[in-house]
Amino acid sequence: MKLKEYSIKVILNNQNQSGAYVACPYFENYKYSWLRDGSFIAYSMLVSNQIESCKKFLDWVNNVILRYKDKVRSISSKLKNGEKLLATDFLPTRYTLRGFEVRDDWPNFQIDGYGAWLWCLSEYINITNDEYLIVEFQESIRITLDYLEMVWKIPNYDCWEENGTKIHPSTLACVYGGIRGINRYLGEIELYNLAEEIKKFILEEGTKDGRFIKYIGSDSIDSSLLWLSVPFNVVDPNNPIMKKTVKLIEEKLYEDGGVKRYPEDTYYGGGQWILLTCWLGWYYLSINKIDKAKKIIEWVENQSDEEGNLPEQVLYITNNSEYIKYWEEKWGKVAKPLLWSHAMYLILLNEIENKRQQKKN
């Protein structure tokens, strides 16, 4: 079975009947559904012609947001009254597969998933022309937009569940992309202005020396900064700030075919992440470097095991190999199969095929 077909099978087989995608079925801490990961997984199903799977996830998120809408109302009330917000006040980033909040000490205040959901929803409508979803999901859309407007400037955890006291350009890219995406169908000047305010903030506060930075106040680089061009279009892929950011990613994080998260990473030693490697390929396609993207696809395919499973990261080249044992003793072997890895592989494959079709035409 080709990796494309196997990747689709892995994702479909690990979608709960509720519509939620489990992050990884065999890794204890990942047996939940993240809105961020799930939105990209759902998008991979959308572009792989698995429309029903994507729709089931969108329905699931809609129901989850409606279930916890009182949290958003409470935040609004607290902010108006000048009350301090607690970590438990915010909408969580991950849920049980049935769609309930997990009460534990996980770094749960992350807003990227809510922006990513709006983006995925807008992409679904764009591809299927099912604009009725704007009506069907109008309450959850409005709740999400209200939530993001209230909290986007509040420090929260990044996409790696780290740095909870910081503000992250890649997180804000998700928020920007979600607001701009859904506003294609809402057409509200207030939302347009909000998105432009977020973009202005990113460009003014989230850059240094002509490039994007890992978080506000940092000098470091992070491969998730690729999100600022693909798919969220905060800046054009050929924007000088983006090009300088990618150049540093290539110099510091792209090694022997795979992409690491950031230079200081020690999670399982800080290896090469499948999903980020695919993301760099996605970026290359956006600037018509098709041959580079094809090399990335080949590298990714070579990281699959005999069955076709793709891991979260590979550990041949790490920042600090001494941490591999530490994490294996703490949590077990690297998560595999990681649905987000398979999803990004499918997305990159689809983008390559789109380029081929454009050449033919």
Side-chain angles (χ1 to χ4, degrees):
M1 185 184 296
K2 290 183 179 179
L3 187 55
K4 176 182 178 179
E5 285 72 27
Y6 186 77
S7 294
I8 293 172
K9 180 181 177 182
V10 164
I11 291 172
L12 292 178
N13 285 350
N14 287 288
Q15 182 172 28
N16 189 268
Q17 61 181 5
S18 66
Y21 299 108
V22 66
C24 178
Y26 305 116
F27 193 81
E28 194 61 36
N29 286 314
Y30 291 1
K31 289 182 179 180
Y32 303 94
S33 188
W34 275 255
L35 265 62
R36 174 193 56 249
D37 309 28
S39 295
F40 289 111
I41 296 166
Y43 179 69
S44 79
M45 292 292 91
L46 178 65
V47 299
S48 299
N49 203 33
Q50 301 294 323
I51 308 297
E52 183 181 349
S53 175
C54 180
K55 176 61 163 52
K56 282 178 64 179
F57 175 77
L58 295 174
D59 285 334
W60 177 77
V61 179
N62 172 62
N63 292 330
V64 164
I65 291 170
L66 294 179
R67 177 175 291 135
Y68 290 103
K69 62 184 178 182
D70 286 344
K71 276 181 171 283
V72 178
R73 291 172 180 163
S74 176
I75 290 172
S76 177
S77 176
K78 281 193 169 187
L79 288 174
K80 287 177 181 176
N81 295 327
E83 297 177 47
K84 183 179 178 180
L85 292 171
L86 305 175
T88 52
D89 290 331
F90 299 102
L91 291 174
T93 187
R94 66 170 189 165
Y95 294 88
T96 68
L97 299 184
R98 292 180 58 204
F100 292 92
E101 184 176 8
V102 184
R103 291 284 186 173
D104 59 12
D105 59 356
W106 193 265
N108 236 340
F109 177 34
Q110 301 168 44
I111 62 175
D112 49 12
Y114 293 91
W117 175 70
L118 290 176
W119 168 80
C120 183
L121 175 58
S122 69
E123 291 297 309
Y124 179 91
I125 296 169
N126 181 51
I127 289 174
T128 64
N129 293 314
D130 186 6
E131 291 194 26
Y132 182 72
L133 279 188
I134 292 293
V135 177
E136 184 181 342
F137 289 179
Q138 60 181 323
E139 185 178 3
S140 62
I141 291 170
R142 184 54 57 189
I143 291 167
T144 304
L145 290 168
D146 289 346
Y147 179 66
L148 292 175
E149 183 175 10
M150 287 189 290
V151 305
W152 72 268
K153 266 192 175 180
I154 299 176
N156 62 99
Y157 289 95
D158 62 16
C159 58
W160 314 128
E161 334 282 347
E162 298 171 344
N163 300 300
T165 61
K166 308 297 181 182
I167 298 175
H168 314 275
S170 55
T171 292
L172 294 182
C174 297
V175 176
Y176 172 87
I179 294 171
R180 283 295 300 269
I182 207 66
N183 202 38
R184 282 184 289 177
Y185 304 101
L186 299 176
E188 298 179 9
I189 188 64
E190 295 83 4
L191 290 177
Y192 172 83
N193 290 337
L194 174 60
E196 288 303 299
E197 183 185 355
I198 294 170
K199 179 176 179 177
K200 183 172 183 286
F201 180 85
I202 294 171
L203 293 174
E204 290 181 353
E205 304 294 334
T207 59
K208 186 174 183 179
D209 298 328
R211 64 171 177 85
F212 291 113
I213 50 179
K214 180 173 172 61
Y215 54 78
I216 309 303
S218 170
D219 291 325
S220 193
I221 190 73
D222 193 300
S223 293
S224 66
L225 292 169
L226 291 164
W227 302 359
L228 285 125
S229 65
V230 286
F232 299 122
N233 296 308
V234 177
V235 294
D236 184 87
N238 285 304
N239 183 291
I241 301 173
M242 196 68 228
K243 290 177 77 172
K244 192 169 183 180
T245 303
V246 174
K247 186 174 185 292
L248 194 60
I249 289 172
E250 290 171 329
E251 291 173 358
K252 299 275 190 181
L253 302 172
Y254 186 30
E255 189 173 355
D256 285 349
V259 177
K260 298 176 183 177
R261 296 195 299 178
Y262 54 91
E264 306 83 9
D265 185 17
T266 57
Y267 181 56
Y268 284 91
Q272 298 157 300
W273 283 57
I274 301 296
L275 68 95
L276 290 172
T277 306
C278 290
W279 231 297
L280 182 60
W282 196 358
Y283 174 81
Y284 284 149
L285 288 173
S286 73
I287 56 172
N288 292 312
K289 293 187 176 181
I290 301 172
D291 288 341
K292 284 192 172 185
K294 288 180 178 178
K295 285 183 180 179
I296 280 178
I297 276 286
E298 291 175 7
W299 182 87
V300 170
E301 290 174 342
N302 287 333
Q303 309 316 310
S304 61
D305 64 18
E306 292 180 357
E307 293 181 2
N309 296 303
L310 290 171
E312 182 173 56
Q313 58 175 308
V314 293
L315 308 180
Y316 307 123
I317 301 173
T318 60
N319 293 327
N320 191 332
S321 61
E322 293 179 8
Y323 279 89
I324 297 175
K325 183 179 179 182
Y326 168 81
W327 283 104
E328 287 182 343
E329 289 178 348
K330 184 175 182 178
W331 282 1
K333 297 289 185 180
V334 167
K336 184 175 72 172
L338 191 80
L339 268 65
W340 197 2
S341 294
H342 284 278
M344 293 311 301
Y345 170 73
L346 290 171
I347 290 169
L348 183 56
L349 269 184
N350 177 73
E351 291 294 322
I352 289 175
E353 182 58 31
N354 287 343
K355 286 291 182 183
R356 286 180 184 150
Q357 292 300 323
Q358 290 172 13
K359 273 193 168 184
K360 287 182 182 179
N361 298 331

